[in-house]
Amino acid sequence: MASAFREDTSHYEHQSPPTSVHGGRGEAGEGTSNAPERRSDDASSADHVQEKAAAAATLTKRQKVRRHCGRFWWWYLIGFIIFSAIFLPILFLVIIPAIVQRILDSQTMPVHSGEFIAITPDTLNVSITTSLSTPLPADIDPLTLFLYNKDTPTFSPFVNVTLPPLHIDGQTDIYIAEQTVTITNETELISWFSNVFDQKSVTLSTRGDASIHLGKLHSNGHIDKTVEVNSLNKLDGFGIQHMQLMLPAKENGTNIQGTLNLPNWGALNIGIGNLSLNLMSGDLRIGLITVYDVYLPPGNNSRYFNGELYLDVLFQNIGTILSSQADALNEGNIQIDATGNATVVNGEHIRFIEAILNHRRVVSTIPVVKLTSDLISSFTNGSDVSIPDMLDDVFGNSTFIQEVLSHWNTTGSNVAAKTKRSPLSVPRGVIGPGALSLFKLGMKMRMGKY
């Protein structure tokens, strides 16, 4: 065996390079010995690339995407889970509530109409018509709106109303109809109603938390709006339209009746029950009248009144009255002011209305000729009666007229110094034709001669 091995190795060529592990020659001859095999490998690689290119060229985009997703779907699933875990809480807790709140903040909620009617000292009947506008259909659960004064440092609502369930789609009118509400803060209500009486327009603030549904999505929103509402403007235009003396007076003292104008410049209907007013000439109280079942829609409102004119006060203080009437008389008018006395509903005093009107004074001017005509018609009822005889029958003598004329005579020079027009002036104690011309004119108007 050993000789055989040696014999085999005797053919080993010492200078032949060793064969590489890949079947080639040694370092010196590696390039030449492997050259044919490399050319074969390059050809096969080129063929493989061409086959792949040909295969890729035959795939559509959808097939490529499907193949890509099929290979990497697991990574996409992990990415989607991570994205959802981050985005969905932001969507439901931040984005949607922000969108809902933005829509609520953009609402103007104008007050188109409404009414505030006093029922008892502690309750009101409230109606409001407003509107909402949304770019998306939405449903709103019932919510409580608190009405308050924004100028009050602390949130102090004076009443609250309930908004019914609503479906809002685009511009939608909202009706809060005849809700009986309890006054929760009388001081704040007095403050707000004072502005309603005094100003041309007043602000009304509302606040509430709303639960809103956008399809299946649910979100909460906060409403805090302040709107401007036209108001009473001090009853500008208030005036006695017609007044008639009732002689003889009734047993309860009623001796005057007529109509007066109660204007409402605002958007809200106001109901305050039976309103009693003091009639004032200067600082002197000369009468008390009552207007019944006062309900004031927007615009001018003629209302019947009756009451008592204090004739004894008039006679005893004629000088003081004429002094207070000097400016109005120079313009051909009589000025009769009114202040609140009492406001009563079903026998109960409405405190918050009295707290306002009893400290307000409204001015009414009546042309002297009109007032004279009304008063004379009270006595004559359209018959042809001698004025001096009528006055003598009513007052017992002519003392009242004499006092009026004597006052005009003694004060005429002072008034004339201030204005170009001066009142009638006759000698004291004389009832001349000039003094009675005013009454005659009223008589003629009553008889249809003017």
Side-chain angles (χ1 to χ4, degrees):
M1 294 293 289
S3 60
F5 180 78
R6 286 193 298 269
E7 193 171 297
D8 291 336
T9 59
S10 65
H11 296 287
Y12 176 74
E13 297 179 4
H14 179 72
Q15 297 181 352
S16 298
T19 306
S20 70
V21 294
H22 297 290
R25 296 290 184 179
E27 294 180 3
E30 183 178 1
T32 58
S33 63
N34 289 335
E37 294 182 5
R38 284 182 177 176
R39 285 195 298 270
S40 177
D41 290 342
D42 290 342
S44 64
S45 297
D47 292 342
H48 181 65
V49 171
Q50 291 176 356
E51 291 174 358
K52 290 178 65 179
T58 60
L59 294 177
T60 63
K61 290 183 179 181
R62 179 176 296 181
Q63 290 172 333
K64 290 179 181 179
V65 172
R66 184 179 299 173
R67 187 178 66 176
H68 177 78
C69 294
R71 293 176 62 186
F72 299 102
W73 69 271
W74 179 252
W75 296 105
Y76 281 109
L77 179 61
I78 294 175
F80 177 75
I81 293 174
I82 295 173
F83 175 79
S84 299
I86 297 173
F87 178 74
L88 290 180
I90 297 175
L91 175 66
F92 290 105
L93 298 179
V94 179
I95 296 177
I96 292 179
I99 293 173
V100 170
Q101 190 60 51
R102 180 69 178 270
I103 293 174
L104 290 176
D105 292 341
S106 67
Q107 302 301 311
T108 58
M109 295 182 68
V111 176
H112 303 301
S113 62
E115 62 182 17
F116 278 72
I117 300 176
I119 300 176
T120 70
D122 301 313
T123 59
L124 292 168
N125 189 299
V126 176
S127 299
I128 297 176
T129 301
T130 182
S131 60
L132 292 173
S133 179
T134 60
L136 300 172
D139 293 298
I140 302 178
D141 291 342
L143 68 101
T144 299
L145 287 178
F146 298 90
L147 277 60
Y148 70 101
N149 296 311
K150 70 171 185 177
D151 295 329
T152 301
T154 58
F155 176 63
S156 304
F158 48 84
V159 295
N160 59 76
V161 295
T162 300
L163 207 62
L166 299 171
H167 177 73
I168 309 298
D169 191 359
Q171 186 73 23
T172 306
D173 291 332
I174 298 173
Y175 303 97
I176 301 174
E178 297 185 356
Q179 291 188 10
T180 299
V181 299
T182 300
I183 298 172
T184 56
N185 191 319
E186 188 173 277
T187 301
E188 287 296 304
L189 180 62
I190 291 173
S191 175
W192 184 71
F193 254 110
S194 296
N195 292 333
V196 169
F197 183 88
D198 292 334
Q199 300 176 7
K200 292 183 178 180
S201 61
V202 66
T203 57
L204 176 62
S205 299
T206 59
R207 181 181 295 183
D209 295 315
S211 181
I212 301 172
H213 304 273
L214 300 172
K216 297 297 183 181
L217 299 178
H218 168 79
S219 181
N220 295 322
H222 181 68
I223 298 174
D224 196 345
K225 305 298 297 184
T226 297
V227 298
E228 191 171 277
V229 185
N230 291 335
S231 49
L232 296 178
N233 191 23
K234 296 181 179 179
L235 295 179
D236 185 30
F238 169 87
I240 296 175
Q241 298 172 314
H242 170 70
M243 184 167 61
Q244 180 183 15
L245 285 174
M246 304 169 62
L247 296 174
K250 295 183 178 180
E251 293 182 359
N252 61 2
T254 299
N255 64 359
I256 189 173
Q257 65 180 359
T259 59
L260 53 78
N261 181 45
L262 290 173
N264 180 357
W265 296 91
L268 301 174
N269 301 332
I270 305 296
I272 56 176
N274 297 335
L275 174 62
S276 296
L277 298 171
N278 301 311
L279 299 182
M280 309 290 295
S281 178
D283 296 329
L284 189 66
R285 183 174 179 231
I286 61 173
L288 175 66
I289 62 174
T290 300
V291 190
Y292 299 92
D293 297 325
V294 176
Y295 179 80
L296 306 178
N300 289 319
N301 300 277
S302 293
R303 293 291 182 269
Y304 170 82
F305 73 86
N306 63 20
E308 183 177 359
L309 187 64
Y310 303 147
L311 298 177
D312 55 342
V313 174
L314 289 173
F315 301 152
Q316 295 170 10
N317 299 276
I318 187 62
T320 301
I321 292 173
L322 290 177
S323 296
S324 67
Q325 295 289 332
D327 293 337
L329 285 171
N330 285 328
E331 299 296 329
N333 297 320
I334 294 291
Q335 178 176 320
I336 300 178
D337 298 345
T339 62
N341 179 279
T343 304
V344 179
V345 175
N346 296 324
E348 296 183 288
H349 286 263
I350 308 301
R351 296 183 302 270
F352 74 91
I353 297 293
E354 293 180 345
I356 298 167
L357 296 185
N358 291 9
H359 297 87
R360 301 295 191 277
R361 184 168 181 147
V362 292
V363 177
S364 170
T365 58
I366 310 171
V368 172
V369 173
K370 177 69 169 63
L371 179 62
T372 304
S373 174
D374 287 345
L375 293 178
I376 292 176
S377 69
S378 304
F379 303 136
T380 65
N381 291 321
S383 59
D384 190 6
V385 179
S386 170
I387 298 296
D389 293 341
M390 176 197 67
L391 294 176
D392 186 66
D393 290 340
V394 173
F395 300 113
N397 53 48
S398 301
T399 305
F400 173 64
I401 296 300
Q402 292 172 356
E403 183 67 24
V404 171
L405 298 177
S406 66
H407 179 81
W408 278 347
N409 184 43
T410 57
T411 60
S413 58
N414 295 332
V415 175
K418 296 180 181 179
T419 63
K420 294 183 179 179
R421 295 179 56 186
S422 60
L424 298 173
S425 177
V426 297
R428 180 179 178 87
V430 179
I431 307 176
L436 295 177
S437 62
L438 205 59
F439 294 95
K440 291 179 179 179
L441 178 60
M443 183 63 181
K444 291 178 180 179
M445 292 178 64
R446 177 66 181 177
M447 300 292 293
K449 296 182 180 180
Y450 286 112

